[in-house]
Amino acid sequence: MTIPVERVSRPGRVAEPGEGIGIDELRLAGRNHAMPLEMLRAELTPPGLHYVLTHYDVPDVDAATWRLDLGGEVEHPISLSMADLTAMPSRTVRVTLECAGNGRAGLSPRPVSQPWLTGAVGTAEWTGVPLRDLLADAAPTGSAVDVVFTGHDHGFERGVEQDYARGLSLAEADADDVLIAFAMNGAPLPAQHGFPARLVVPGWYGMAHVKWLRSITVIDHPFDGYQNAAYRLRQQPDDEGVPVTRIEPRALLMPPGDPDFMSRDRVLRPGPVRLRGRAWSGWGGVTRVEVSTDGGATWRDAALGPDEHRWAWREFTLDWEAGPGEHLLRARAHDATGRVQPVEPAWNRGGFTNTADDPVRVVVLDG
Ligand SMILES: Nc1nc2c(c(=O)[nH]1)N[C@H]1C(S)=C(S)[C@@H](COP(=O)(O)O)O[C@H]1N2
Ligand SMILES: [Mo]
């Protein structure tokens, strides 16, 4: 349905040169918050500090009457209550989740949308029922192509009225560790993270992890819904574009020292500092992280922490002798597939997958 009203049918927009963050972006940024970067100290992000991105409103879902319906191109349609779901064999997977728009505010010109810097990330332990088990019970027919996941939230986007919905191919949906999750870090999902149940697709950018899950529908053609069409890398609005899928490698430094309130520059005293951070990739494990303390003129290899959780970030550290003056700290990750975090942003119209780092400015005091 197309809405003939200008305010709910605005096309995507790119900011004018020099145009600051506007009130519409501030409205989104006040609802959708980043993880404070100091929380990089924690392997598991406490719920409440994990980033949040919700396109419309957080829906009011009652777990007592909630049902999950799995139907469409299947031999045996399924309908589960919360009690049915939580009684099934479950597993817990540690997953680093990142919004595909993380880094958008660092692009120039800036695509006007949720203006993320670099903090749209978090790591949690998600407990749920493997989707593969549900699909095995439902038995997709020979004509099954895609699997569509629909949430309880409803809204308008660029003039299109919709329930939030995303599709995966049957093979992607049937992958190891894809979960219908009902717990986050051992407790029921918080409302903002999809209560009572959400999809978790380890390694994929956030948009695939449908919250407030209501139905799963197996269809006999590729899903062409709004959210699958929107998350594509395009230079022009009418480009066909390339779908956004897995998380590109990124290393993020935990800003050292103490912040200045307004600039958020970091203030340190001279002497040895252990720089820390975490790095991740949805394509393969992180194999190397380089850190620069001179704005990218020279790079040193950081020491890597254990690599025990395939879908979660990996800690890195580098010992630095901080001398008086100003310094720009940077980091970049490499993964097992040979992907390397770029030093310069790669622009696209949606402002997706900008993994260029946001250098940390440090002022080391004179003694
Ligand atoms: N139903 C529904 N699921 C959704 C969204 C949404 O708006 N509605 N936002 C998606 C996006 S864009 C991201 S980045 C992640 C964010 O998950 P989180 O808020 O739990 O961190 O949820 C995804 N799942
Ligand atoms: Mo997102």
Side-chain angles (χ1 to χ4, degrees), residues 51 53 99-101 206-207 231:
Y51 90 96
L53 192 293
C99 180
M207 72 285 156
Y231 284 93

PDB file of all heavy atoms in Angstrom, residues 51 53 99-101 206-207 231, ligand 2:
ATOM      1  N   TYR A  51      23.534  -2.529  22.438  1.00  0.00           N
ATOM      2  CA  TYR A  51      22.872  -1.569  21.548  1.00  0.00           C
ATOM      3  C   TYR A  51      21.433  -2.027  21.247  1.00  0.00           C
ATOM      4  O   TYR A  51      21.110  -3.211  21.382  1.00  0.00           O
ATOM      5  CB  TYR A  51      23.669  -1.381  20.248  1.00  0.00           C
ATOM      6  CG  TYR A  51      23.303  -2.331  19.126  1.00  0.00           C
ATOM      7  CD1 TYR A  51      22.401  -1.959  18.133  1.00  0.00           C
ATOM      8  CD2 TYR A  51      23.843  -3.610  19.064  1.00  0.00           C
ATOM      9  CE1 TYR A  51      22.052  -2.819  17.106  1.00  0.00           C
ATOM     10  CE2 TYR A  51      23.497  -4.477  18.032  1.00  0.00           C
ATOM     11  CZ  TYR A  51      22.610  -4.078  17.061  1.00  0.00           C
ATOM     12  OH  TYR A  51      22.257  -4.930  16.042  1.00  0.00           O
ATOM     13  N   LEU A  53      18.259  -1.360  18.254  1.00  0.00           N
ATOM     14  CA  LEU A  53      17.730  -0.728  17.042  1.00  0.00           C
ATOM     15  C   LEU A  53      16.339  -1.290  16.776  1.00  0.00           C
ATOM     16  O   LEU A  53      16.176  -2.495  16.549  1.00  0.00           O
ATOM     17  CB  LEU A  53      18.652  -0.979  15.836  1.00  0.00           C
ATOM     18  CG  LEU A  53      18.408  -0.169  14.548  1.00  0.00           C
ATOM     19  CD1 LEU A  53      17.104  -0.487  13.861  1.00  0.00           C
ATOM     20  CD2 LEU A  53      18.491   1.326  14.762  1.00  0.00           C
ATOM     21  N   CYS A  99      24.640  -3.701  14.151  1.00  0.00           N
ATOM     22  CA  CYS A  99      23.726  -3.124  13.164  1.00  0.00           C
ATOM     23  C   CYS A  99      24.488  -2.868  11.866  1.00  0.00           C
ATOM     24  O   CYS A  99      25.624  -2.374  11.891  1.00  0.00           O
ATOM     25  CB  CYS A  99      23.134  -1.820  13.691  1.00  0.00           C
ATOM     26  SG  CYS A  99      21.995  -1.034  12.526  1.00  0.00           S
ATOM     27  N   ALA A 100      23.842  -3.165  10.747  1.00  0.00           N
ATOM     28  CA  ALA A 100      24.482  -2.937   9.446  1.00  0.00           C
ATOM     29  C   ALA A 100      24.775  -1.455   9.219  1.00  0.00           C
ATOM     30  O   ALA A 100      25.649  -1.097   8.436  1.00  0.00           O
ATOM     31  CB  ALA A 100      23.590  -3.466   8.324  1.00  0.00           C
ATOM     32  N   GLY A 101      24.044  -0.591   9.941  1.00  0.00           N
ATOM     33  CA  GLY A 101      24.258   0.855   9.797  1.00  0.00           C
ATOM     34  C   GLY A 101      25.332   1.393  10.724  1.00  0.00           C
ATOM     35  O   GLY A 101      25.597   2.616  10.716  1.00  0.00           O
ATOM     36  N   GLY A 206      22.529  -7.211  12.122  1.00  0.00           N
ATOM     37  CA  GLY A 206      21.355  -7.188  12.993  1.00  0.00           C
ATOM     38  C   GLY A 206      20.008  -7.341  12.309  1.00  0.00           C
ATOM     39  O   GLY A 206      19.106  -7.984  12.856  1.00  0.00           O
ATOM     40  N   MET A 207      19.858  -6.751  11.112  1.00  0.00           N
ATOM     41  CA  MET A 207      18.512  -6.724  10.492  1.00  0.00           C
ATOM     42  C   MET A 207      17.921  -8.106  10.274  1.00  0.00           C
ATOM     43  O   MET A 207      16.704  -8.249  10.161  1.00  0.00           O
ATOM     44  CB  MET A 207      18.537  -5.934   9.165  1.00  0.00           C
ATOM     45  CG  MET A 207      19.225  -6.604   7.997  1.00  0.00           C
ATOM     46  SD  MET A 207      21.015  -6.595   8.099  1.00  0.00           S
ATOM     47  CE  MET A 207      21.452  -7.995   7.062  1.00  0.00           C
ATOM     48  N   TYR A 231      17.999  -3.452   2.555  1.00  0.00           N
ATOM     49  CA  TYR A 231      19.374  -3.713   3.004  1.00  0.00           C
ATOM     50  C   TYR A 231      20.217  -4.244   1.858  1.00  0.00           C
ATOM     51  O   TYR A 231      20.553  -5.420   1.791  1.00  0.00           O
ATOM     52  CB  TYR A 231      19.375  -4.681   4.192  1.00  0.00           C
ATOM     53  CG  TYR A 231      18.960  -4.015   5.486  1.00  0.00           C
ATOM     54  CD1 TYR A 231      17.642  -4.032   5.912  1.00  0.00           C
ATOM     55  CD2 TYR A 231      19.897  -3.361   6.278  1.00  0.00           C
ATOM     56  CE1 TYR A 231      17.264  -3.408   7.096  1.00  0.00           C
ATOM     57  CE2 TYR A 231      19.537  -2.739   7.457  1.00  0.00           C
ATOM     58  CZ  TYR A 231      18.218  -2.765   7.859  1.00  0.00           C
ATOM     59  OH  TYR A 231      17.844  -2.146   9.027  1.00  0.00           O
TER      60      TYR A 231
HETATM   61 MO    MO B   2      20.224  -2.580  12.139  1.00  0.00          MO
END
